Amino acid sequence: IGITTALFHDAGYIREASDTAKNGAAYTKTHVSRSADFIIKHTSSIVGSEVAEIASRIVHFTGYEIPYNKIAVKDIQEKLIGTMVASSDILAQMADRCYIEKCRDRLYPEFVLGGMTVDTSKQQDFVIYHTAKDMLYKTPEFYHVTTKEKLDKTFNKVYKYLDAFFEDRNLYLESADSNIKYLEEAIKNNDLQSLRRRPPKNIALKSFPFEEVYKQEKLLSIQTITIPNKQASNGSKSYFNFT
């Protein structure tokens, strides 16, 4: 169940013949639900319908489409497997020695295509990430607050099982911490040019519509101006939006 979930947790990015999007990144917001459908449709005959059914439910631990406390689990074992796969998903990405450069050069363009740079859940849209550089500036807070809270509280520190494998060290967590510390130093010194690691190239880069991303980003910067206001009276950030 764990292996099936891990192998296909991002399968929702794969386009089917009936899909209209030019790139799988367009399905970022719904890719986990699509992954669940993919698991049921394509793995049942290989791993069995029961395994596929469980995997299609707990794969939602890796995403945000279903709130954590509403993900359907039948017992503690299913919950444990789900949180282990989700924790591995997070740490494997953030421990990558090229993680910061990938955020800037690959993740941000994917977010633009997937509509993840603008929050449309409110009455008025507001920009979450203005540019790839803006994403880098906000990554440390995302790691220290959102990610750490999810790993430590929501997923109950299941990453500590790695300590046994690495003989009382967690090399993935250490590497993720190191990446963020390096980024924080670069931001502090106003030296984002120091982020020069080159991730391995892959065939997807040849067909990714970077020009389309540039046009969308440019259009967004013209149409939407987001001004962070001083701390609101209720302690939360407020925004003035002009569209």
Side-chain angles (χ1 to χ4, degrees), residues 3-240:
I3 292 172
T4 301
T5 307
L7 286 176
F8 296 102
H9 77 281
D10 275 343
Y13 283 110
I14 300 172
R15 290 173 297 159
E16 297 195 17
S18 59
D19 289 329
T20 57
K22 295 180 181 179
N23 190 280
Y27 299 111
T28 298
K29 288 184 178 180
T30 58
H31 82 276
V32 179
S33 291
R34 287 168 57 90
S35 296
D37 293 339
F38 186 99
I39 290 171
I40 290 293
K41 184 176 180 180
H42 296 289
T43 74
S44 295
S45 61
I46 303 170
V47 298
S49 59
E50 183 179 3
V51 170
E53 189 273 329
I54 297 172
S56 71
R57 288 189 284 103
I58 66 174
V59 72
H60 281 284
F61 282 99
T62 68
Y64 297 90
E65 294 170 55
I66 299 179
Y68 170 78
N69 59 355
K70 293 186 178 181
I71 297 173
V73 290
K74 294 180 179 178
D75 52 44
I76 189 65
Q77 187 180 45
E78 290 185 5
K79 182 178 180 180
L80 180 60
I81 295 172
T83 55
M84 288 174 70
V85 171
S87 297
S88 300
D89 182 28
I90 293 171
L91 285 177
Q93 292 181 56
M94 303 196 79
D96 184 339
R97 68 185 302 274
C98 297
Y99 171 70
I100 306 302
E101 287 83 357
K102 284 183 176 180
C103 281
R104 179 191 61 202
D105 303 332
R106 300 184 184 181
L107 183 61
Y108 178 76
E110 287 183 12
F111 273 22
V112 172
L113 286 189
M116 298 288 286
T117 54
V118 177
D119 187 347
T120 59
S121 62
K122 313 296 182 182
Q123 285 186 330
Q124 281 186 301
D125 298 352
F126 69 86
V127 178
I128 300 174
Y129 301 120
H130 292 273
T131 61
K133 183 178 180 180
D134 185 42
M135 172 180 273
L136 291 184
Y137 276 112
K138 293 176 180 177
T139 294
E141 181 181 8
F142 170 76
Y143 179 66
H144 291 304
V145 179
T146 306
T147 302
K148 283 294 184 71
E149 181 174 347
K150 175 167 278 192
L151 290 172
D152 292 347
K153 296 181 180 180
T154 307
F155 295 158
N156 198 29
K157 295 184 178 181
V158 296
Y159 60 78
K160 294 181 78 63
Y161 290 125
L162 285 169
D163 296 0
F165 183 81
F166 291 118
E167 299 180 351
D168 296 327
R169 290 183 65 186
N170 193 321
L171 300 184
Y172 280 89
L173 199 60
E174 289 178 18
S175 183
D177 286 339
S178 178
N179 283 337
I180 299 303
K181 183 178 180 180
Y182 188 87
L183 175 59
E184 289 173 332
E185 284 296 316
I187 293 173
K188 179 181 177 181
N189 298 325
N190 194 26
D191 185 26
L192 293 183
Q193 297 299 318
S194 64
L195 304 173
R196 295 189 294 267
R197 286 177 173 171
R198 296 183 179 181
K201 293 182 179 180
N202 59 64
I203 194 171
L205 294 174
K206 296 180 180 180
S207 59
F208 193 86
F210 287 105
E211 186 65 25
E212 181 180 338
V213 169
Y214 170 75
K215 290 179 180 178
Q216 287 193 33
E217 182 184 28
K218 188 175 181 180
L219 184 64
L220 180 67
S221 66
I222 294 173
Q223 290 183 333
T224 306
I225 303 175
T226 304
I227 305 176
N229 194 12
K230 292 183 178 180
Q231 203 74 359
S233 59
N234 62 359
S236 63
K237 291 181 180 179
S238 62
Y239 291 85
F240 293 111

